[in-house]
Amino acid sequence: MSRITIIGCGVVGAAIAYELSLIPGLSIAVLDKQSPAQGATSAALGVLMGIISHKIKGKAWQLRQTSLQRYETLIPELAAKTNRQILYNRQGILMLVPSVADWENLVEIRQAQGWHLEIWDIDQIKSKCPQLNLATTTAAIYSPQDRQLDPSALTLALVEAAERNNVNFQFGVKVEEITSTNGGICYQIETSNGQIETDWIVISAGLGSTPITASLAQKVDIQPVLGQALHLRVENPLGNADFQPVITSDDIHIVPVGEKEYWVGATVEFPTDAGEVMADPSLLDKVMAGAIAFCPPLSQATIKRTWFGLRPRPQGYPAPIIGQLPGYNNILLATGHYRNGVLLAPATAIAIREAILAKSPV
Protein backbone atom coordinates (compact mmCIF):
# COMPACT_ATOMS: atom_id res chain seq x y z
CA MET A 1 0.00 0.00 0.00
CA SER A 2 1.50 3.35 -1.05
CA ARG A 3 1.40 6.07 1.59
CA ILE A 4 0.80 9.58 0.24
CA THR A 5 1.04 12.79 2.24
CA ILE A 6 -0.47 15.99 0.82
CA ILE A 7 0.70 19.25 2.35
CA GLY A 8 -1.91 22.00 1.94
CA CYS A 9 -5.70 21.80 1.83
CA GLY A 10 -6.95 24.61 -0.30
CA VAL A 11 -9.07 23.68 -3.29
CA VAL A 12 -6.08 22.11 -5.08
CA GLY A 13 -4.97 19.94 -2.17
CA ALA A 14 -8.55 18.87 -1.46
CA ALA A 15 -9.10 17.95 -5.12
CA ILE A 16 -5.92 15.85 -5.13
CA ALA A 17 -6.96 14.09 -1.94
CA TYR A 18 -10.38 13.25 -3.36
CA GLU A 19 -9.15 11.99 -6.73
CA LEU A 20 -6.53 9.79 -5.06
CA SER A 21 -9.13 8.50 -2.59
CA LEU A 22 -11.02 6.93 -5.48
CA ILE A 23 -8.12 4.52 -6.07
CA PRO A 24 -8.05 1.39 -3.88
CA GLY A 25 -4.81 0.55 -2.14
CA LEU A 26 -3.61 4.05 -1.25
CA SER A 27 -3.19 5.45 2.25
CA ILE A 28 -3.64 9.22 2.12
CA ALA A 29 -2.99 11.92 4.72
CA VAL A 30 -3.53 15.65 4.29
CA LEU A 31 -1.78 18.22 6.48
CA ASP A 32 -2.58 21.91 6.82
CA LYS A 33 -1.70 24.46 9.46
CA GLN A 34 -5.12 26.06 8.92
CA SER A 35 -8.67 24.85 8.45
CA PRO A 36 -9.64 23.80 4.91
CA ALA A 37 -10.55 26.40 2.26
CA GLN A 38 -8.49 29.18 3.80
CA GLY A 39 -5.83 31.25 2.01
CA ALA A 40 -6.33 31.91 -1.69
CA THR A 41 -9.33 29.56 -1.92
CA SER A 42 -11.41 31.58 0.52
CA ALA A 43 -10.95 34.74 -1.52
CA ALA A 44 -11.51 33.35 -5.03
CA LEU A 45 -14.57 34.24 -7.10
CA GLY A 46 -14.70 30.78 -8.65
CA VAL A 47 -15.02 31.99 -12.26
CA LEU A 48 -13.96 29.15 -14.58
CA MET A 49 -12.68 30.98 -17.64
CA GLY A 50 -11.56 28.08 -19.78
CA ILE A 51 -13.19 28.17 -23.20
CA ILE A 52 -13.31 31.95 -23.25
CA SER A 53 -9.58 32.14 -22.53
CA HIS A 54 -7.16 32.63 -25.41
CA LYS A 55 -5.20 29.49 -24.48
CA ILE A 56 -5.63 27.20 -27.49
CA LYS A 57 -2.92 24.54 -27.32
CA GLY A 58 -0.31 22.89 -25.17
CA LYS A 59 -0.42 22.33 -21.42
CA ALA A 60 -2.22 25.62 -20.68
CA TRP A 61 -5.22 24.67 -22.81
CA GLN A 62 -5.21 20.97 -21.94
CA LEU A 63 -5.41 21.70 -18.22
CA ARG A 64 -8.39 23.98 -18.76
CA GLN A 65 -10.21 21.51 -20.97
CA THR A 66 -9.59 18.62 -18.58
CA SER A 67 -10.88 20.63 -15.62
CA LEU A 68 -14.05 21.78 -17.36
CA GLN A 69 -14.83 18.22 -18.40
CA ARG A 70 -14.21 16.86 -14.91
CA TYR A 71 -16.29 19.56 -13.22
CA GLU A 72 -19.37 18.43 -15.14
CA THR A 73 -19.17 15.05 -13.42
CA LEU A 74 -17.48 16.13 -10.19
CA ILE A 75 -20.14 18.54 -8.91
CA PRO A 76 -23.09 16.08 -9.08
CA GLU A 77 -20.79 13.34 -7.79
CA LEU A 78 -19.89 15.36 -4.68
CA ALA A 79 -23.48 16.46 -4.13
CA ALA A 80 -24.66 12.85 -4.20
CA LYS A 81 -21.95 11.68 -1.79
CA THR A 82 -22.16 14.53 0.74
CA ASN A 83 -25.65 16.06 0.35
CA ARG A 84 -23.91 19.44 0.25
CA GLN A 85 -25.26 22.12 -2.04
CA ILE A 86 -22.45 23.54 -4.17
CA LEU A 87 -23.26 26.70 -6.11
CA TYR A 88 -22.51 25.80 -9.74
CA ASN A 89 -23.66 28.35 -12.28
CA ARG A 90 -24.22 26.67 -15.66
CA GLN A 91 -25.34 29.85 -17.44
CA GLY A 92 -21.91 30.67 -18.78
CA ILE A 93 -19.78 33.79 -19.02
CA LEU A 94 -20.56 36.94 -20.99
CA MET A 95 -17.55 39.16 -21.75
CA LEU A 96 -18.05 42.69 -23.06
CA VAL A 97 -15.41 43.59 -25.62
CA PRO A 98 -14.52 46.78 -27.54
CA SER A 99 -13.84 44.80 -30.73
CA VAL A 100 -14.35 41.28 -32.09
CA ALA A 101 -11.17 41.34 -34.16
CA ASP A 102 -9.32 39.04 -31.75
CA TRP A 103 -12.25 36.69 -31.23
CA GLU A 104 -13.47 35.45 -34.60
CA ASN A 105 -10.52 33.09 -35.00
CA LEU A 106 -10.97 31.78 -31.46
CA VAL A 107 -14.63 30.99 -32.16
CA GLU A 108 -13.54 28.83 -35.10
CA ILE A 109 -10.81 27.11 -33.10
CA ARG A 110 -13.18 26.25 -30.27
CA GLN A 111 -15.70 24.85 -32.73
CA ALA A 112 -13.00 22.60 -34.19
CA GLN A 113 -12.12 21.50 -30.64
CA GLY A 114 -15.74 20.60 -29.91
CA TRP A 115 -16.55 23.66 -27.80
CA HIS A 116 -18.84 26.62 -28.36
CA LEU A 117 -18.42 30.40 -28.31
CA GLU A 118 -20.81 33.05 -29.62
CA ILE A 119 -20.26 36.63 -30.74
CA TRP A 120 -23.18 38.84 -29.75
CA ASP A 121 -23.96 42.21 -31.30
CA ILE A 122 -25.38 45.15 -29.37
CA ASP A 123 -29.00 44.17 -29.99
CA GLN A 124 -28.44 40.66 -28.65
CA ILE A 125 -26.76 42.01 -25.53
CA LYS A 126 -29.59 44.48 -24.89
CA SER A 127 -32.18 41.75 -25.33
CA LYS A 128 -30.49 39.31 -22.94
CA CYS A 129 -28.94 41.74 -20.43
CA PRO A 130 -30.90 45.03 -20.39
CA GLN A 131 -29.13 46.10 -17.18
CA LEU A 132 -25.87 46.78 -19.00
CA ASN A 133 -24.48 50.11 -20.19
CA LEU A 134 -23.01 49.49 -23.64
CA ALA A 135 -21.55 52.92 -24.33
CA THR A 136 -17.98 51.60 -24.69
CA THR A 137 -18.89 48.18 -26.05
CA THR A 138 -19.36 47.06 -29.63
CA ALA A 139 -19.99 43.37 -28.96
CA ALA A 140 -19.78 40.59 -26.42
CA ILE A 141 -18.43 37.05 -26.33
CA TYR A 142 -20.75 34.51 -24.77
CA SER A 143 -19.29 31.23 -23.52
CA PRO A 144 -22.20 28.96 -22.52
CA GLN A 145 -19.95 26.07 -21.45
CA ASP A 146 -17.78 27.99 -18.99
CA ARG A 147 -18.91 27.90 -15.37
CA GLN A 148 -18.72 29.55 -11.94
CA LEU A 149 -18.85 27.92 -8.53
CA ASP A 150 -18.37 28.60 -4.82
CA PRO A 151 -14.73 27.65 -4.08
CA SER A 152 -15.17 27.25 -0.33
CA ALA A 153 -18.26 25.06 -0.66
CA LEU A 154 -16.47 22.95 -3.26
CA THR A 155 -13.40 22.50 -1.04
CA LEU A 156 -15.46 21.47 1.99
CA ALA A 157 -17.37 18.96 -0.13
CA LEU A 158 -14.11 17.53 -1.48
CA VAL A 159 -12.80 17.14 2.07
CA GLU A 160 -15.97 15.43 3.30
CA ALA A 161 -16.10 13.07 0.32
CA ALA A 162 -12.42 12.20 0.74
CA GLU A 163 -12.93 11.60 4.47
CA ARG A 164 -15.71 9.15 3.61
CA ASN A 165 -13.07 7.36 1.53
CA ASN A 166 -10.77 7.13 4.59
CA VAL A 167 -8.44 10.05 3.86
CA ASN A 168 -6.84 11.25 7.10
CA PHE A 169 -7.07 15.04 7.37
CA GLN A 170 -5.00 16.79 10.04
CA PHE A 171 -5.73 20.50 10.42
CA GLY A 172 -3.83 22.90 12.66
CA VAL A 173 -0.70 20.85 12.01
CA LYS A 174 2.60 22.40 10.96
CA VAL A 175 5.29 20.64 8.93
CA GLU A 176 8.55 21.01 10.83
CA GLU A 177 11.04 18.81 8.98
CA ILE A 178 11.19 16.40 6.05
CA THR A 179 13.77 13.62 6.25
CA SER A 180 15.36 12.33 3.06
CA THR A 181 18.06 9.92 1.90
CA ASN A 182 21.05 10.80 -0.27
CA GLY A 183 19.19 9.31 -3.19
CA GLY A 184 16.47 11.95 -3.09
CA ILE A 185 13.82 9.84 -1.39
CA CYS A 186 11.83 11.49 1.41
CA TYR A 187 10.39 8.98 3.82
CA GLN A 188 9.46 10.84 6.98
CA ILE A 189 7.73 14.10 7.91
CA GLU A 190 8.10 15.60 11.34
CA THR A 191 5.02 17.62 12.24
CA SER A 192 3.73 19.48 15.26
CA ASN A 193 1.47 16.44 15.74
CA GLY A 194 4.19 13.78 15.50
CA GLN A 195 5.96 11.79 12.77
CA ILE A 196 4.45 10.53 9.53
CA GLU A 197 6.04 7.78 7.44
CA THR A 198 5.34 8.30 3.77
CA ASP A 199 6.15 7.05 0.27
CA TRP A 200 5.04 10.18 -1.58
CA ILE A 201 4.77 13.86 -0.69
CA VAL A 202 2.61 16.29 -2.64
CA ILE A 203 3.25 19.96 -1.88
CA SER A 204 0.10 21.97 -2.61
CA ALA A 205 0.53 24.65 0.02
CA GLY A 206 0.34 27.77 -2.14
CA LEU A 207 2.47 30.47 -0.56
CA GLY A 208 3.48 27.97 2.11
CA SER A 209 5.24 25.91 -0.57
CA THR A 210 8.20 28.30 -0.58
CA PRO A 211 9.51 27.63 2.95
CA ILE A 212 8.89 23.88 2.57
CA THR A 213 10.91 23.67 -0.66
CA ALA A 214 13.56 25.99 0.78
CA SER A 215 14.07 23.54 3.68
CA LEU A 216 14.80 20.91 1.02
CA ALA A 217 17.38 23.16 -0.70
CA GLN A 218 15.15 23.44 -3.79
CA LYS A 219 13.40 26.73 -3.12
CA VAL A 220 10.40 27.45 -5.31
CA ASP A 221 9.82 31.18 -5.02
CA ILE A 222 6.12 32.01 -4.86
CA GLN A 223 5.08 35.57 -4.16
CA PRO A 224 1.72 36.89 -2.92
CA VAL A 225 -0.56 38.95 -5.16
CA LEU A 226 -3.47 40.42 -3.24
CA GLY A 227 -7.03 40.47 -4.55
CA GLN A 228 -10.02 42.29 -3.05
CA ALA A 229 -13.71 41.70 -3.77
CA LEU A 230 -17.19 42.72 -2.60
CA HIS A 231 -20.39 40.88 -1.75
CA LEU A 232 -23.43 42.92 -2.82
CA ARG A 233 -27.18 42.66 -2.43
CA VAL A 234 -29.70 44.34 -4.74
CA GLU A 235 -33.46 44.84 -4.50
CA ASN A 236 -34.14 42.93 -7.71
CA PRO A 237 -32.07 40.52 -9.80
CA LEU A 238 -29.91 42.31 -12.36
CA GLY A 239 -31.56 42.21 -15.77
CA ASN A 240 -33.37 39.04 -16.74
CA ALA A 241 -33.92 36.89 -13.64
CA ASP A 242 -33.87 33.76 -15.81
CA PHE A 243 -30.49 34.56 -17.36
CA GLN A 244 -27.78 35.18 -14.77
CA PRO A 245 -24.35 34.45 -16.26
CA VAL A 246 -21.09 35.82 -14.96
CA ILE A 247 -20.59 39.16 -16.71
CA THR A 248 -17.09 40.53 -17.15
CA SER A 249 -15.57 43.65 -18.65
CA ASP A 250 -12.00 44.88 -18.47
CA ASP A 251 -11.14 42.15 -15.93
CA ILE A 252 -13.96 43.14 -13.57
CA HIS A 253 -16.38 40.31 -12.83
CA ILE A 254 -20.01 40.46 -11.69
CA VAL A 255 -20.81 37.04 -10.28
CA PRO A 256 -24.33 35.87 -9.30
CA VAL A 257 -24.15 33.94 -6.02
CA GLY A 258 -27.76 33.60 -4.99
CA GLU A 259 -31.08 35.36 -5.29
CA LYS A 260 -30.38 39.10 -5.53
CA GLU A 261 -26.77 38.69 -4.43
CA TYR A 262 -23.55 39.18 -6.38
CA TRP A 263 -19.81 39.13 -5.92
CA VAL A 264 -17.81 41.84 -7.66
CA GLY A 265 -14.05 41.73 -8.07
CA ALA A 266 -11.23 41.59 -8.08
CA THR A 267 -8.21 43.80 -7.64
CA VAL A 268 -4.68 42.70 -8.57
CA GLU A 269 -2.21 44.15 -6.08
CA PHE A 270 1.49 43.25 -6.24
CA PRO A 271 3.99 43.45 -3.36
CA THR A 272 6.02 46.59 -2.83
CA ASP A 273 9.78 46.62 -3.39
CA ALA A 274 10.10 45.82 0.30
CA GLY A 275 7.97 42.71 -0.19
CA GLU A 276 4.92 44.08 1.63
CA VAL A 277 1.43 43.55 0.30
CA MET A 278 -1.48 45.41 1.85
CA ALA A 279 -5.04 45.93 0.66
CA ASP A 280 -5.52 49.35 -0.90
CA PRO A 281 -9.14 50.49 -0.36
CA SER A 282 -8.92 52.91 -3.27
CA LEU A 283 -8.33 50.03 -5.69
CA LEU A 284 -11.45 48.24 -4.47
CA ASP A 285 -13.36 51.50 -4.93
CA LYS A 286 -12.04 51.59 -8.49
CA VAL A 287 -13.30 48.04 -9.14
CA MET A 288 -16.73 48.94 -7.79
CA ALA A 289 -16.84 52.09 -9.92
CA GLY A 290 -15.85 50.07 -12.96
CA ALA A 291 -18.62 47.55 -12.31
CA ILE A 292 -21.20 50.33 -11.93
CA ALA A 293 -19.97 51.90 -15.18
CA PHE A 294 -21.04 48.87 -17.24
CA CYS A 295 -23.84 47.76 -14.89
CA PRO A 296 -25.48 50.94 -13.49
CA PRO A 297 -28.06 49.20 -11.23
CA LEU A 298 -25.18 48.21 -8.97
CA SER A 299 -25.04 51.82 -7.80
CA GLN A 300 -28.09 51.00 -5.64
CA ALA A 301 -26.62 47.82 -4.19
CA THR A 302 -25.91 47.28 -0.51
CA ILE A 303 -22.41 46.10 0.35
CA LYS A 304 -22.76 43.07 2.63
CA ARG A 305 -19.03 42.58 3.08
CA THR A 306 -15.64 43.06 1.51
CA TRP A 307 -12.74 40.62 1.67
CA PHE A 308 -9.29 39.95 0.30
CA GLY A 309 -6.89 37.07 -0.17
CA LEU A 310 -3.36 36.36 -1.37
CA ARG A 311 -2.85 34.50 -4.64
CA PRO A 312 0.33 32.42 -5.08
CA ARG A 313 2.28 33.67 -8.12
CA PRO A 314 5.47 31.78 -9.05
CA GLN A 315 8.64 33.73 -9.78
CA GLY A 316 10.71 32.37 -12.65
CA TYR A 317 8.19 29.62 -13.44
CA PRO A 318 4.99 29.65 -15.49
CA ALA A 319 1.86 29.16 -13.38
CA PRO A 320 0.93 26.59 -12.23
CA ILE A 321 3.82 24.38 -11.11
CA ILE A 322 2.85 20.74 -11.49
CA GLY A 323 5.46 18.01 -11.44
CA GLN A 324 8.45 16.59 -9.64
CA LEU A 325 10.53 18.70 -7.27
CA PRO A 326 14.07 18.74 -8.72
CA GLY A 327 16.43 16.45 -6.83
CA TYR A 328 13.66 14.37 -5.24
CA ASN A 329 12.14 11.23 -6.67
CA ASN A 330 9.01 11.12 -4.54
CA ILE A 331 8.05 14.77 -4.02
CA LEU A 332 5.53 16.32 -6.39
CA LEU A 333 4.59 19.99 -6.67
CA ALA A 334 1.02 21.12 -7.28
CA THR A 335 1.23 24.77 -6.44
CA GLY A 336 1.58 28.35 -7.69
CA HIS A 337 -1.73 28.45 -9.57
CA TYR A 338 -1.94 32.26 -9.20
CA ARG A 339 -5.45 33.27 -10.34
CA ASN A 340 -6.47 29.87 -11.70
CA GLY A 341 -6.44 27.55 -8.68
CA VAL A 342 -10.17 26.84 -8.74
CA LEU A 343 -10.28 26.50 -12.51
CA LEU A 344 -7.35 24.08 -12.67
CA ALA A 345 -7.86 22.09 -9.46
CA PRO A 346 -9.47 19.01 -11.10
CA ALA A 347 -6.87 18.81 -13.88
CA THR A 348 -4.06 19.25 -11.35
CA ALA A 349 -5.47 16.42 -9.25
CA ILE A 350 -5.66 14.15 -12.28
CA ALA A 351 -2.05 15.01 -13.27
CA ILE A 352 -0.79 14.20 -9.77
CA ARG A 353 -2.77 10.97 -9.68
CA GLU A 354 -1.28 9.87 -13.00
CA ALA A 355 2.26 10.79 -11.91
CA ILE A 356 1.96 8.68 -8.76
CA LEU A 357 0.31 5.72 -10.50
CA ALA A 358 2.97 5.75 -13.22
CA LYS A 359 5.62 4.94 -10.60
CA SER A 360 3.50 3.15 -8.02
CA PRO A 361 0.88 1.12 -9.90
CA VAL A 362 -1.78 -0.17 -7.55
Side-chain angles (χ1 to χ4, degrees):
M1 176 180 288
S2 292
R3 300 163 298 179
I4 302 167
T5 305
I6 301 165
I7 303 174
C9 194
V11 66
V12 174
I16 294 169
Y18 176 68
E19 288 292 347
L20 289 174
S21 78
L22 300 176
I23 301 170
L26 299 180
S27 175
I28 305 161
V30 181
L31 312 177
D32 201 306
K33 62 184 179 181
Q34 305 180 91
S35 300
Q38 302 299 306
T41 299
S42 66
L45 298 178
V47 180
L48 310 181
M49 301 184 74
I51 299 161
I52 206 170
S53 78
H54 281 277
K55 307 296 184 182
I56 59 173
K57 60 183 179 179
K59 179 181 176 182
W61 162 244
Q62 199 56 53
L63 286 171
R64 284 165 170 77
Q65 178 170 242
T66 299
S67 274
L68 289 174
Q69 291 169 335
R70 178 59 175 132
Y71 267 127
E72 292 299 286
T73 59
L74 179 62
I75 298 301
E77 189 176 305
L78 292 173
K81 290 183 177 183
T82 67
N83 289 321
R84 287 179 176 267
Q85 296 300 310
I86 305 169
L87 171 70
Y88 190 56
N89 189 339
R90 298 175 179 271
Q91 297 197 355
I93 297 174
L94 184 71
M95 179 180 293
L96 306 182
V97 296
S99 167
V100 299
D102 297 331
W103 293 94
E104 292 171 337
N105 187 51
L106 182 63
V107 170
E108 294 180 1
I109 290 172
R110 291 293 185 247
Q111 184 175 8
Q113 293 172 331
W115 298 94
H116 187 63
L117 280 179
E118 300 174 9
I119 297 176
W120 287 7
D121 60 24
I122 292 293
D123 288 339
Q124 286 174 292
I125 304 169
K126 286 180 178 178
S127 173
K128 293 284 190 177
C129 301
Q131 74 272 30
L132 299 180
N133 173 20
L134 305 176
T136 60
T137 297
T138 62
I141 309 303
Y142 179 54
S143 180
Q145 294 165 299
D146 278 325
R147 304 287 186 246
Q148 185 274 333
L149 53 78
D150 183 329
S152 295
L154 167 66
T155 304
L156 295 175
L158 287 165
V159 169
E160 181 177 337
E163 281 183 321
R164 290 170 181 260
N165 292 339
N166 299 314
V167 174
N168 175 21
F169 288 89
Q170 299 183 36
F171 299 115
V173 173
K174 183 179 179 181
V175 173
E176 296 178 343
E177 185 180 0
I178 298 175
T179 304
S180 64
T181 66
N182 292 332
I185 301 293
C186 292
Y187 60 90
Q188 187 179 85
I189 303 173
E190 187 72 36
T191 79
S192 57
N193 196 37
Q195 291 182 348
I196 295 177
E197 305 292 325
T198 192
D199 300 305
W200 285 93
I201 297 173
V202 180
I203 301 174
S204 60
L207 293 170
S209 303
T210 297
I212 293 171
T213 55
S215 73
L216 297 166
Q218 290 290 348
K219 181 180 178 181
V220 175
D221 189 10
I222 300 177
Q223 297 294 317
V225 178
L226 189 142
Q228 299 183 74
L230 306 102
H231 186 167
L232 308 177
R233 180 171 179 81
V234 294
E235 288 297 318
N236 297 292
L238 300 176
N240 182 352
D242 295 327
F243 183 62
Q244 294 285 303
V246 173
I247 300 177
T248 181
S249 177
D250 197 25
D251 205 27
I252 296 173
H253 307 308
I254 300 173
V255 180
V257 290
E259 187 178 356
K260 303 179 185 178
E261 295 191 2
Y262 298 83
W263 291 341
V264 171
T267 66
V268 180
E269 304 175 49
F270 293 93
T272 65
D273 292 339
E276 297 178 346
V277 56
M278 297 180 63
D280 183 343
S282 69
L283 295 179
L284 188 58
D285 290 342
K286 185 176 179 181
V287 166
M288 184 63 184
I292 291 171
F294 71 87
C295 186
L298 286 180
S299 63
Q300 304 301 313
T302 300
I303 298 175
K304 294 188 66 175
R305 68 182 179 111
T306 63
W307 75 93
F308 69 87
L310 301 177
R311 310 167 178 123
R313 182 172 183 261
Q315 304 298 297
Y317 303 85
I321 305 172
I322 305 172
Q324 192 169 311
L325 179 67
Y328 293 90
N329 294 324
N330 67 332
I331 299 184
L332 297 172
L333 297 171
T335 191
H337 287 70
Y338 190 28
R339 301 178 73 184
N340 289 312
V342 181
L343 170 62
L344 301 182
T348 301
I350 290 169
I352 294 297
R353 180 194 69 196
E354 291 177 351
I356 289 175
L357 291 182
K359 292 188 177 182
S360 304
V362 177

